[in-house]
Amino acid sequence: MKNKFKEVAKVILIIIFLTTTIKAQEITIANWYENKSGAVVLSFDDWLPSHANIVVNQLENHQLPATFFVTIQNTKYQKNAFIMMRKAFANGCEIANHTLTHPDLTAIDIEEAKNEILGARKILMDSIPGNPCLSFSFPMGVKDKDLIQFLKMYHINARGINAPNENNLNYNFIKQANDYYKLETVRIWRVITPKKVGNWLDYVTKGGGLLTFMIHSIENENNPAGWDPIPEKYLSEILDTVKAHQNQLWITTMAKATQYHQQKNNTQIKIVKNSNSSTQFKIIHTLNATMFNHDLTILLSKEKEIKAIKIGKNNIVFKEIGNHYQFNIPYNAQKVEIIYKN
């Protein structure tokens, strides 16, 4: 009986040993792309003349992206409007929807409101090849449930004009799906100094959420003041301040920020094969692939040393950071293989 007990105990120990040996390393999706602490979006409203004449080049000089919310009627007397939009888009900026004529959408007939939204979207998609036009900004910040339900069919977010709470820029800023269509923003105007902008960036670094800035016209000796103007020198100082936080924060567009946030929170990692030599996993999600296709940043704990990471025959670049490995994968990746060193 004792010998039989010993044999059973030995088998149990072997099972425990093997289970421990081939236990998969912890694989998680980073909260934000490249595992940044938070996300920041610079947004410029209305497509005013100074956007084409000043902002596009300033962003290019600073190597920063931004989201331009375009009101189509403002392009009628700007000969270079769509040329500069295409340049901005090629430089990583987003060209987004701010309606045809900037009306209070709740004060007009719903069919007219739909035409304001879809008419502008079509022009922006037709005029900027490859532009998915996924973001929307409510004129004057006015919105209601019916508009939000309609927007969901064509856009993945919408921004208002309400200011955020500086103490509440947390990662879990979405409590229900409609909250993606009620995004808050910090208005940049003369009384908001570059130092205050830096403070806002520190708040979101600490909170880990999404921070957006709203800017209107820029003025210099060749561009007169428009709506809610700030001087070009001031804009440059703001961009310098944002640039200085780029190591900690993901400076991106509205579409990319909300794409990634929704993907991260609607995606599961499933281990499909696991051994001492490799682990294979895939990602499972139900999001619309035409709207949600941003690469995901994967974090892998460092219980084992990595030899290679592959998708099919393609090697994926990875790096060691602290106690984890980090790499990016396409959102449509069906099988990712992690190969360990012997």
Side-chain angles (χ1 to χ4, degrees), residues 288-308:
N288 182 340
T290 61
M291 290 185 169
F292 296 95
N293 50 29
H294 199 286
D295 286 0
L296 291 176
T297 295
I298 304 298
L299 305 178
L300 176 69
S301 59
K302 284 178 64 176
E303 281 87 357
K304 301 177 185 178
E305 285 193 83
I306 302 298
K307 179 180 179 181

Side-chain angles (χ1 to χ4, degrees), residues 63-83:
Q63 295 185 304
L64 289 172
T67 294
F68 290 95
F69 287 111
V70 177
T71 299
I72 299 301
Q73 72 172 5
N74 290 346
T75 68
K76 289 183 178 179
Y77 304 105
Q78 300 180 45
K79 292 182 179 180
N80 64 342
F82 289 103
I83 293 172

